[in-house]
Amino acid sequence: MKKLPIVFLCIFFIVFTFTSQTSARSLSIDDVHIRALITPDGNLLINEMFTYTFDGSYKNVRRSVHKAHHNGVKEFEAYELMNPNASLEAIDKNDMRQLDVHPNDNHYTANLAVKNESKKVVYVYILENAVRSYETYSDVTVPFFGTDSNHDTDIQNVTIDFVFPDKLNSNTYHAFLHDEEGYVVQKTEEVVRFFTPISKMRRLTEPRILFPSSIMTGQQKGKEPISLEKALQQEEKAGISVNAISDTQEIFTHFLFLLSGLFIIAAGCLLLLPQRRLRSHARPEDLLKYDPFYLYIIDRVAVKDPYALLAGVYSLVEKGCVTVRKASTLTRFQRDPGAPKNTLAFTFHPSTTPLSESEKGLLDWLFTRKQKLGQRFFSLNNIYGATKKEKEAKEINGYFRKRIKHLHQEDNWFRQVLLELKERQLISGWLYPISTRILIALVLILTTYTYFIKASSGFGIILYLIVSVFLLRNAWTSLIRKQVLAFFFVTMITGWIFVEIEFILPFTLFICAMIIFYLTVPRFILSREAAEVRAEIRHFRKMIRKEGIPSSIDESKLDKWMIRAVLLNVKRFELDMNQFKKPMDEFILIAPMSALVFNGEDPSSYLLKTWKWSMPFVMRPSVNKSSGKRNNSDSGGDGFSSGGDSGGDGGGAGAD
C-alpha cells in the first residue's frame, strides 16, 4: 500500500501517453468520392478524390490498394487538386498538379508538404481483371478500405460510384455494400452509387455487384463456382452476420467500460477498510503495553519482511524469557572499516511464562548454542551475511547458501505465526487469494475474447497465451504480487500490439482498473481490534518522527521505545543521550539497543545490509508460501468476401 500512489502515477502516465501520443499532430479524411469505371475486358478504371485536413506538418500522403480480387495495379498516379470547386465527374488536368509517387508493394506514397490546412488529392489507377465473368453472371468485389493496419483512421462521407460499360436494367443486377453503416443510394441503368457516413478504422468498406455478363464483351466466360441464387443467399446471410458482429463488438466495448468502472468503485471501497481509514490520538507511550511482535504484525498487515526475526526475538525479551546484551562482532567485521564493532546477543532463561508454538519454534530454531553454564544463546553474529569488503571480493557463496537456509527456516516459523493469528481471529486471509485468481481468470478470458471478436492475429493470441502460462505457472498458486503484476502489464503491452485498434482504449482502461483494484486488495484483513491498534501505530510513527523519543522517560524503558521505533519504520527521529546521566558503560547494560544506535552501530540496519551483500547479482528470492509474497515484499466469386485481411494487404489511406 505504501507504493500504491507511485503505481497509480505510473498507470496514469501510461494511459495519458497512450491517449495523447498523437496530440502533436493529427489527420482527418473528411470526404472521399470514388468513381470506378467497369471496362468490357474486366478492368476497373479508378478515380478517387480524398479531402484531407492536416493539423500539423506532413510531408506525404499515402494510399494503400487492396490485393484481393484483381491481377494487379497499373498506372497509379496522384494529383493535388488546385481547383477546389472541380468535381470528380468533370475534372480537367489543368485543375490538378501531379505529385511524385513512390510505390512500395501495395502502398503508394505521394510527396505533399502541408501544414495546418485542407487539401484535395486525386488518385488514378487501373485494377486489372477486377471483374470475374461467368456464363450466367459477372461479379465485381472491391474492398476499398479493409480491416488491417492500412486502414488506420476513420474516413468520413465515402461515396462510391460504379459505372457500367453499357446500359443495364436496374432490376437485372444486385448491389451490396459490406459496411457497418453504408447502404446503396442509387441504382440506374448506368451507375450504382453507394454511401457510408463513416468507414471506421479497420472496418470493411467493400461494394459488391452481381450483374449480367452479357455486357462484358471483352472477357472470356468461365463456369460459375456457385449459382447466382446461392450467391444471393450468401449475401443475405452475410449481411445478418456483419450486423450481429457489429452489435457484439459494441456491446463488448460497453461491457469493458462498465467493468472498469465497477472495479474502480470496488477499489475505492477497499480503501475505506478500517485498517486503512481509522485514526487515533492515543499517546505514544500507550504503545508500550503491546507486544512488539504483535505491533509488527499489525503494522505489516501480517506480511513478513526482514524485520520479522528481530520483532520475534524482542517479543521474548519483553516477556522475560530472554535477556539482551552487547557483544563484540566477529573478527572479520573488526577488520572491515565500515562494519560495527559491536552487536547484540540474546540469552534464553527458562521460565513459567506460557509460550505459543511459534515462540517455541523460534527458540528451537535460533537458540541452539550454549554458554559455559549451559544456557542457550543467540547472537546476531550467527546470522550476519557478507561484509562489504567480502562482497567487493566476491567471496559470498557460503553466506548466500546460509542466507537461503535461514529464509527457509524463517518461512516455516512465520507460517506457524499466521496459523495462530487466524485462530485468534486477528487476521483473515480469504479475500486476497479469491480476488487475485478471479482477476487473473477474468483478464485471461476477456483478453482472449478481445483477440477473437475481431479475428485478430492468430500468432498474437498464441504468443500471449504462451507468455501468460509462463508467468502464471507459479503465480496462480503462490500469488506473488510481482508475478501477478507482470502478467497484467504483459497483457496490456501485448494488447497494444495485437488487439484491434478500436478496442485498445477500453482494453487499456480495463487492465488499468484490474491493476488498481488488485493493488488495493490487502493480503490480510485485520480485525476491528487490530485495526484500531494499527491506527495507534500510525499516530505513534507520526509523533515520534515529529517530536522524537521523549526526554522524560526512564532509562530502563528506552529500549522499548527504540525497538518500536525501529520495527515500526520511524525513518528519522531525535534521541538526546545527554539527558541520561549514567555513564555509557552502565547505560549499555540497561539499554544496549539504544546505546548501539546512538553510537552509529545500529545492529538491525547493518544486519539487513549484510543480507543484501550476500546475494548474487541475479537470484530468485525465496517465497513465503504462507503469505504468498517474496520475503522482501511489503505491504472472389465463390461467395461472400471479407475484403481486406489482417496481413497488411487491405485498402487504406493516411499521411506521414
Side-chain angles (χ1 to χ4, degrees), residues 27 29 50 62-67 104-108 143-155 199-203 500-501 644-655:
L27 163 74
I29 302 177
F50 281 68
R62 170 183 51 81
R63 179 72 169 104
S64 298
V65 181
H66 61 283
K67 290 184 175 182
N104 181 15
D105 195 18
N106 64 320
H107 310 295
Y108 298 86
F144 286 106
F145 305 109
T147 59
D148 61 9
S149 58
N150 294 332
H151 188 187
D152 57 1
T153 186
D154 291 344
I155 301 176
S199 176
K200 295 181 180 179
M201 69 175 86
R202 299 198 182 190
R203 298 290 179 90
E500 292 297 325
I501 190 79
D645 36 21
S646 60
D649 297 339

Side-chain angles (χ1 to χ4, degrees), residues 442-455:
L442 193 61
V443 168
L444 196 59
I445 292 171
L446 292 182
T447 300
T448 304
Y449 185 73
T450 305
Y451 276 84
F452 282 113
I453 196 172
K454 277 286 290 182

Side-chain angles (χ1 to χ4, degrees), residues 206-399:
E206 177 186 69
R208 185 186 188 190
I209 307 174
L210 302 173
F211 60 96
S213 58
S214 57
I215 62 174
M216 303 303 293
T217 57
Q219 269 191 311
Q220 291 184 346
K221 315 298 190 297
K223 183 170 179 58
E224 59 273 9
I226 60 174
S227 67
L228 178 60
E229 291 75 16
K230 190 170 183 179
L232 294 174
Q233 289 175 2
Q234 288 182 346
E235 281 295 332
E236 183 179 356
K237 293 179 181 178
I240 297 174
S241 175
V242 168
N243 290 332
I245 291 174
S246 177
D247 292 343
T248 301
Q249 293 169 353
E250 185 175 357
I251 292 171
F252 183 64
T253 298
H254 291 158
F255 176 72
L256 288 180
F257 281 125
L258 176 63
L259 206 59
S260 301
L262 291 176
F263 273 97
I264 291 296
I265 293 173
C269 294
L270 288 175
L271 292 176
L272 298 177
L273 286 173
Q275 64 199 59
R276 290 170 173 163
R277 67 176 178 83
L278 287 184
R279 296 293 179 264
S280 173
H281 298 285
R283 297 174 303 170
E285 54 265 30
D286 291 342
L287 229 61
L288 300 184
K289 66 184 179 183
Y290 298 112
D291 182 276
F293 187 61
Y294 175 71
L295 294 174
Y296 164 83
I297 287 290
I298 292 176
D299 183 56
R300 305 305 199 276
V301 195
V303 175
K304 181 172 70 68
D305 69 6
Y307 286 92
L309 183 145
L310 191 65
V313 172
Y314 262 92
S315 172
L316 296 175
V317 170
E318 294 196 7
K319 287 183 177 180
C321 303
V322 170
T323 56
V324 56
R325 59 181 173 82
K326 183 202 75 170
S328 298
T329 53
L330 299 177
T331 304
R332 64 189 179 97
F333 296 102
Q334 300 287 341
R335 295 173 179 172
D336 190 331
K341 307 306 177 185
N342 300 290
T343 187
L344 296 176
F346 304 87
T347 303
F348 172 57
H349 301 278
S351 68
T352 59
T353 303
L355 300 177
S356 66
E357 291 300 318
S358 63
E359 290 171 328
K360 294 177 183 177
L362 182 63
L363 287 169
D364 292 339
W365 164 37
L366 294 179
F367 292 78
T368 56
R369 300 190 178 191
K370 292 186 178 181
Q371 296 174 332
K372 292 181 180 180
L373 299 177
Q375 291 178 311
R376 295 158 57 188
F377 78 98
F378 158 70
S379 172
L380 294 184
N381 280 317
N382 302 343
I383 58 173
Y384 275 145
T387 65
K388 186 176 183 180
K389 189 175 181 180
E390 290 168 332
K391 173 68 173 180
E392 293 171 349
K394 298 182 179 179
E395 299 173 351
I396 63 172
N397 287 336
Y399 303 117

Side-chain angles (χ1 to χ4, degrees), residues 136-166:
T136 57
Y137 67 93
S138 292
D139 183 355
V140 58
T141 304
V142 187
F144 286 106
F145 305 109
T147 59
D148 61 9
S149 58
N150 294 332
H151 188 187
D152 57 1
T153 186
D154 291 344
I155 301 176
Q156 310 291 329
N157 303 313
V158 180
T159 302
I160 304 172
D161 294 336
F162 276 82
V163 182
F164 295 116
D166 203 350

